[in-house]
């Protein structure tokens, strides 16, 4: 014979299962650390965003719309008039052998600058992460280059590759390479790539070093026990953990090679763009501000925007699939 459990007079009566789960669903438990930002007015967040949105609208959207509009017109450089020509500016640009040659060089230039900037920056970050004594001075010597403006970096590069006093020219002469930067197409292209890579290495170094220092010590110790080979340990453990940082830097370095190297190129070609390699963004400047072809340079700007947009979509669509965020 079974007996029902007795209840003490002070204990509450048991609730039904349905009522218990109803109360549980109606009051979900939240972690103590969870906090919500409360604004006194619903318009206050938009007020905080207004300065940034105004800057984006004034310096990005308005010039972009104006460039798209100008690309369909043949405009007077002094603003006295314009005539609608449709897609003529685009067809002239895409049929130009000079433009297609500059586009090929821009692709090679971007790929080499991005690859070597990321590779050397990662190598220096790995070496700096292992330095115990004097690491502050070592890191400072690697970072200070980033404070140099691109035109100044281009001027320093021209001094290093100078025909008469350049130490790199003299070093190349030891191997029978007579460099003529500013006069020879290939020599100028080599110098432009070297200076652009040198300018961008500190930026990659900073982010890679921060990513390496963010890896837990326990993970490194476990990898040290599992993999005796340092290269294999780096390839299978450390590098996958740096994938988000590497993907971010890939986009930044691609944008840098396409646009931010303008100052370096402007100094190194010495107003002799016809005999030296230039990139697409410098071609826009040459045709628009020196050739006074506003419609053609606007069409080139639109084409460059489309290229960057497609390249960014490709990076996020296909490359980001291999990136694992922790």
């Amino acid at each position: 014979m079974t007996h029902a459990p007795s209840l003490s007079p002070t204990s509450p009566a048991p609730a039904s299962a349905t009522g218990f789960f109803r109360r549980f669903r109606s009051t979900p438990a939240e972690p103590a650390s969870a906090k919500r930002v409360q604004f006194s007015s619903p318009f206050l967040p938009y007020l905080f965003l207004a300065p940034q949105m105004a800057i984006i609208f004034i310096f990005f959207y308005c010039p972009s719309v104006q460039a798209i509009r100008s690309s369909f017109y043949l405009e007077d450089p002094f603003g006295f008039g314009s005539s609608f020509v449709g897609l003529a500016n685009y067809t002239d640009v895409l049929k130009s052998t000079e433009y297609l040659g500059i586009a090929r060089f821009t692709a090679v230039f971007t790929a080499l600058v991005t690859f070597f900037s990321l590779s050397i920056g990662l190598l220096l970050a790995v070496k700096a992460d292992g330095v115990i004594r004097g690491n502050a001075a070592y890191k400072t010597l690697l970072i200070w280059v980033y404070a140099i403006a691109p035109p100044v970096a281009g001027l320093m590069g021209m001094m290093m590759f100078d025909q008469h006093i350049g130490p790199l020219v003299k070093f190349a002469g030891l191997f029978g390479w007579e460099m003529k930067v500013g006069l020879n197409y290939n020599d100028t292209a080599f110098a432009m790539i070297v200076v652009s890579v040198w300018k961008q290495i500190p930026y990659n170094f900073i982010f890679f070093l921060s990513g390496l220092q963010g890896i837990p010590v326990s993970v490194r110790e476990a990898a040290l026990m599992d993999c005796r080979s340092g290269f294999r340990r780096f390839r299978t453990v450390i590098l996958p953990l740096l994938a988000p940082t590497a993907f971010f830097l890939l986009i930044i370095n691609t944008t840098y090679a396409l646009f931010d190297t303008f100052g370096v190129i402007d100094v190194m070609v010495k107003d002799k763009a016809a005999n030296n390699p230039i990139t697409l963004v410098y071609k826009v400047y040459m045709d628009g501000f020196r050739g006074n072809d506003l419609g053609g340079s606007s069409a080139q700007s639109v084409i460059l925007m489309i290229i960057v947009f497609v390249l960014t979509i490709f990076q996020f669509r296909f490359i980001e699939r291999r990136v694992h965020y922790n």
Side-chain angles (χ1 to χ4, degrees):
M1 181 177 179
T2 58
H3 299 277
S6 60
L7 298 174
S8 61
T10 57
S11 62
S16 63
T18 305
F20 172 78
F21 285 113
R22 185 182 298 115
R23 290 198 304 270
F24 181 79
R25 287 194 300 265
S26 61
T27 57
E30 294 184 358
S33 59
K35 294 182 179 180
R36 293 184 178 181
V37 179
Q38 299 292 335
F39 293 97
S40 58
S41 173
F43 301 101
L44 190 58
Y46 300 100
L47 182 63
F48 291 150
L49 289 175
Q52 182 67 26
M53 295 304 297
I55 293 175
I56 294 175
F57 180 80
I58 294 173
F59 294 101
F60 180 76
Y61 289 113
C62 288
S64 299
V65 173
Q66 181 62 32
I68 295 173
R69 178 193 172 278
S70 299
S71 65
F72 296 104
Y73 287 85
L74 183 62
E75 297 187 359
D76 185 271
F78 301 100
F80 292 117
S82 60
S83 57
F84 182 79
V85 294
L87 298 176
N89 290 325
Y90 291 94
T91 56
D92 292 342
V93 168
L94 297 178
K95 289 181 179 180
S96 173
T97 56
E98 178 189 6
Y99 183 82
L100 296 179
I102 294 174
R104 284 192 295 268
F105 172 77
T106 303
V108 175
F109 176 82
T110 303
L112 291 177
V113 170
T114 302
F115 174 77
F116 285 109
S117 298
L118 290 174
S119 301
I120 300 175
L122 178 59
L123 177 63
L124 295 177
V126 171
K127 296 300 181 181
D129 189 47
V131 174
I132 300 177
R133 299 182 60 182
N135 57 355
Y138 182 70
K139 297 173 185 177
T140 302
L141 291 175
L142 292 174
I143 293 174
W144 72 271
V145 180
Y146 188 67
I148 301 175
V152 179
L155 181 61
M156 295 177 65
M158 287 302 299
M159 295 175 61
M160 298 295 289
F161 287 99
D162 186 81
Q163 189 74 21
H164 305 286
I165 63 173
L168 295 181
V169 174
K170 295 181 179 180
F171 179 76
L174 299 176
F175 301 93
W177 184 6
E178 186 179 355
M179 299 186 65
K180 296 181 179 180
V181 177
L183 300 175
N184 183 273
Y185 185 95
N186 294 327
D187 294 345
T188 306
F190 176 79
M192 287 167 48
I193 292 173
V194 170
V195 176
S196 300
V197 169
W198 170 70
K199 175 69 177 67
Q200 187 66 5
I201 285 175
Y203 186 88
N204 299 329
F205 169 78
I206 295 171
F207 279 89
F208 276 131
L209 183 61
S210 300
L212 287 171
Q213 293 179 346
I215 299 177
V217 179
S218 58
V219 175
R220 298 194 179 197
E221 293 177 349
L224 186 62
M225 296 172 57
D226 294 338
C227 303
R228 297 187 60 182
S229 173
F231 176 76
R232 183 182 177 187
R233 184 167 58 248
F234 174 80
R235 181 175 60 86
T236 58
V237 179
I238 304 299
L239 191 58
L241 294 176
L242 288 176
T245 303
F247 177 71
F248 165 77
L249 290 177
L250 175 64
I251 298 175
I252 296 298
N253 280 261
T254 303
T255 306
Y256 162 78
L258 286 172
F259 297 101
D260 294 345
T261 54
F262 175 88
V264 175
I265 297 173
D266 187 43
V267 174
M268 300 195 72
V269 297
K270 291 184 175 180
D271 297 332
K272 299 177 181 178
N275 300 323
N276 290 303
I278 59 175
T279 57
L280 290 177
V281 67
Y282 198 77
K283 174 69 173 173
V284 173
Y285 164 75
M286 291 288 296
D287 290 351
F289 290 90
R290 294 188 180 181
N292 293 326
D293 184 10
L294 301 182
S297 63
S298 298
Q300 296 177 34
S301 300
V302 175
I303 293 173
L304 188 57
M305 284 191 296
I306 294 174
I307 292 174
V308 173
F309 178 76
V310 172
L311 186 60
T312 304
I313 294 297
F314 173 80
Q315 290 174 335
F316 275 94
R317 184 70 181 272
F318 296 100
I319 300 179
E320 195 183 19
R321 292 180 178 180
R322 299 179 179 272
V323 178
H324 301 281
Y325 297 93
N326 295 327

